[in-house]
């Protein structure tokens, strides 16, 4: 079989091209065996399958929360509203307890569901794929929910390193 040719771009060019793809923003949350709550901002979330219900997201291998996500069976994907930009930044940057002052409730699996999320997916992790400098997680959705006023709430959108609300065309 023919092998891949070497890239015709540098890493900055690759990132710039990738960043043109607009995504929603999620916070993936879990609870470590120690009881510590863990959460990270992720835009790599996507749907995979309706039957069975599967979703995916990816996490940088060097991520501080990787040791917990590598072993935990459950996590929640929280889809952020535009009004939750502060949570997006908090779960991407804060080094200490990211849950301090963040209202949440435990889902049936005991994993934290963030109040005000536009939608949430409570997942049992099904598989992990090591690819390059990231690990792809595929989760089987056990329960999901949508904010009561979802139709009136703008999602948070990330594109080209900037945050946007969403306007209907
Ligand atoms: C909008 C946005 C999207 C992000 N998406 C991802 C992602 O999909 N995967 C990832 O590994 N990091 C992503 N990050 C970076 C992580 O949120 C950030 O590195 C975080 O500090 C990781 O936490 P940890 O090192 O405590 O695990 C994103 C950051 C932002 C602001």
């Amino acid at each position: 079989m023919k092998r891949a040719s070497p890239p015709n771009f540098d890493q900055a060019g690759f990132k710039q091209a990738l960043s043109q793809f607009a995504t929603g923003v999620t916070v993936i949350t879990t609870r470590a065996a120690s009881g510590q709550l863990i959460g990270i901002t992720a835009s790599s979330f996507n749907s995979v399958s309706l039957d069975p219900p599967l979703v995916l997201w990816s996490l940088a291998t060097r991520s501080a929360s990787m040791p917990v996500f590598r072993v935990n069976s459950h996590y929640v994907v929280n889809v952020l509203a535009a009004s939750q930009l502060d949570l997006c930044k908090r779960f991407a940057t804060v080094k200490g307890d990211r849950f301090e002052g963040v209202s949440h409730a435990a889902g049936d699996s005991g994993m934290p569901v963030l109040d005000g999320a536009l939608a949430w997916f409570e997942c049992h992790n099904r598989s992990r794929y090591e690819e390059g400098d990231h690990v792809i997680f595929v989760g089987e959705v056990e329960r999901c929910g949508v904010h009561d006023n979802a139709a009136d709430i703008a999602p948070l959108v990330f594109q080209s390193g900037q945050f946007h609300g969403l306007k209907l065309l």
Side-chain angles (χ1 to χ4, degrees), residues 40-44 58-60 63-65 88 91-92 98 134 158 163:
I40 63 123
T41 298
S43 56
S44 53
S58 64
L59 182 62
S63 158
S65 54
C88 162
F91 282 90
R98 291 182 178 161
H134 277 62
F158 186 56
F163 295 101

Side-chain angles (χ1 to χ4, degrees), residues 6 10 16 23-24 28 36 57-58 90 102 113-114 122 149:
D10 61 13
Q16 193 196 6
T23 66
I28 319 267
Q36 189 194 357
W57 61 285
S58 64
R90 182 173 183 82
V102 174
V113 178
L114 301 183
E122 204 170 358
N149 302 321

Side-chain angles (χ1 to χ4, degrees), residues 47-112:
S47 53
V48 174
S49 160
L50 286 179
D51 185 16
L54 302 177
V55 296
L56 68 73
W57 61 285
S58 64
L59 182 62
T61 313
R62 61 159 200 279
S63 158
S65 54
M66 181 59 89
V68 175
F69 282 111
R70 253 189 214 290
V71 298
N72 259 26
S73 62
H74 285 82
Y75 47 78
V76 177
V77 179
N78 300 270
V79 178
L80 296 187
S83 60
Q84 295 178 303
L85 177 58
D86 54 334
L87 291 186
C88 162
K89 292 181 174 169
R90 182 173 183 82
F91 282 90
T93 57
V94 167
K95 293 285 174 235
D97 178 9
R98 291 182 178 161
F99 282 80
E100 196 184 320
V102 174
S103 43
H104 62 275
D108 285 4
S109 64
M111 303 297 130

